[in-house]
Amino acid sequence: MVENRPYVTFMAHAVLIFGVIIVALPIWVTFVAATHDELRMTQIPLPLLPGGHFFENLNEVLFEGVGSRGSPVGMMLLNSLIMALLIAVGKISISLLSAFAIVYFRFPFRMGFFWLIFITLMLPVEVRILPTFAVVADLGLLDSYMGLSLPLIASATATFLFRQVFLGVPDELLEAARIDGAGPMRFFWDILLPITRTNIAALFVILFIYGWNQYLWPLLITTDQSMYTVVMAIKQLLEAAEETPQWHLIMMTTLLAMAPPIAVVVGMQKLFVKGLTETEK
Amino acid sequence: MAEIHLNKVCKSYGDVDVLFGIDWTIFDGEFVVIVGPSGCGKSTLLRTIAGLEKITQGEISIGNRVVNDLEPAERDIAMVFQNYALYPHMSVYDNMAYGLKIRGLEKDEIERRVNHAADTLEIRDYLDRSPRQLSGGQRQRVAMGRAIVREPSVFLFDEPLSNLDAKLRVQMRLEIKNLQQRLGITSVYVTHDQVEAMTLGHRLMVLNGGYVEQLGTPIELYEKPATEFVAGFIGSPSMNLLKAKISGDGTKAEFSDHNSLYLASALPSQANRQVTIGLRPEHLMVNKTSQANMSIKVNAVEHLGADTLAHGEFEGCDEIVTLRLHGIVMINQGDILPLEIDPDKVHIFDTETGKRLE
């Protein structure tokens, strides 16, 4: 529907601006709070304009930590980053390989395996948390990057997605590669990976954010402060007993926690959109 | 350079049989065309030669080497696909070089071969482009280039021209023919288009429902179709196939009370039997003076410029007859046209078996 009346244009913009305000206001408040000192944040009314303590707060949060027993947020960010990358890369590699096996090889119980993987959709971390914890603890993986990422790596969604993508790749490409003398792994590496590049990128964005936002699992298996991730740490900052919450530092931490996912989305948005919408191979 | 021997080649998918014992020898340097309607098994036959499909029974040998259990890459063949199957993420150069790289050829040698093929096909200017920047005809050339650089002993073409527009198709058809003549490489070409088949092939195999209907040169197929199917398939517009009865003395074929024709030689063995008479539209002539025994009432006229096609039916039976007259001939709907044909150009088929009767 294309309308060219000024009134409609005005209303459309009004609705959009209203929407943007609703979404952006909390982020703005977070940003403003992160730029003031401790004293200003305990006074009423709350400030709506930025103050001058941004870099001071940033420095304190990144390298010293929040509160008396807090660890530096810089380290938590690093932990989060490593966990999110391990999860995203791990999920993608495993799903790519299992989808490759299911689509391009004929072996007994092929569809059985596919459905077995598919059924795990019904078993997210929260459902299998006790047995998973027991296994990870028995393997001695508590308080390690392996323990943080490994149980979250298996992915039915990604396997299914890659299966659909591979099914859309014309058979002739495989045949041409066979005539050219490429073996299965060579075909996978030289042909299949490059042409599904955009799909991989789109999935990477989704999975990175999924990994970054993990809360329950890291909370459960990390006891060592040096292994804390930033998302779970935010919650603990609020619970510092017998202390006034240090809002300026908490908000700075929040801001830092939001930054990497935003960077990933902004940096990869072209590939992301292409990977989700492009159908022709 | 190689001969291809097909020895009782059978192929089935589960319970469904697709090819029924194909026997054929394709000579060194020959250009053969496998032609048939869709679903006749022609692509399957080509793919079994390529090694993309395993055969269920029989034996295929290329250059005196049985290749039944060899991978496609080991069979010394190259194939051109219907949709070109170019690797979309590689440049034209890389597309052509990929197979050679895998075979571990020296860089210089790869470059020499790719450049040579590019010159042959006049695609030198596009070597750096990616396939999506090329037109259909250019992609087709790249696909052929990829086949040429392998310097194989056999070329396989799987309907390579069917994605091109009509004009380009005619042009590429000629180019393929010239290229094959120049390189002298044994080639097997699959198509459903009988014009392509007739113009390209030294010899043709007409395939129908997994059986070979006829093998032969284009002229043999045109002049002496072995079965009713081949008769109807080869030639455009297709042959008129009409139900008729052989007269008691075996000298005439009668279509209806008023329409009949004399046979070149009497067929007493078929007397009073039902047969199928094949008359090519271009062999029928309008003859107003002679005492013609056939006449049609015209239903529709098509002016093609070089030819005029008239469709009509015999009086007393509803068989549709098409005739092709040279040049522009003024005929109106409803005209009665007396027809005549050289008895040597009448084809007679057994209605039950579809086999040619002589």
Side-chain angles (χ1 to χ4, degrees), chain A residues 170 172-183 186-187 190-192 194-195 278 281, chain B residues 47 51-52 71-73 77-79 81 83 85-90 98-99 102 146 150:
Chain A
E172 281 86 352
L173 281 186
L174 171 67
E175 290 168 355
R178 279 180 69 191
I179 288 179
D180 272 339
R186 185 110 201 208
F187 167 72
D190 285 352
I191 316 261
L192 210 51
I195 62 179
E278 188 183 60
K281 282 279 162 271
Chain B
R47 293 162 58 83
L52 296 169
E71 277 295 303
I77 50 139
M79 184 155 167
F81 293 88
N83 61 6
L86 300 176
Y87 309 125
H89 59 291
M90 293 185 193
Y98 184 63
I102 290 182
R146 190 167 63 178
R150 299 174 53 88

Side-chain angles (χ1 to χ4, degrees), chain B residues 271-313:
Chain B
N272 293 319
R273 283 198 62 196
Q274 194 76 31
V275 294
T276 302
I277 298 289
L279 308 172
R280 293 213 181 268
E282 55 271 36
H283 294 156
L284 285 165
M285 291 172 291
V286 178
N287 193 335
K288 287 185 174 145
T289 54
S290 85
Q291 220 35 22
N293 289 321
M294 297 182 288
S295 59
I296 57 163
K297 189 171 173 218
V298 176
N299 291 334
V301 183
E302 293 170 317
H303 292 285
L304 305 178
D307 296 309
T308 303
L309 300 183
H311 308 278
E313 56 191 48

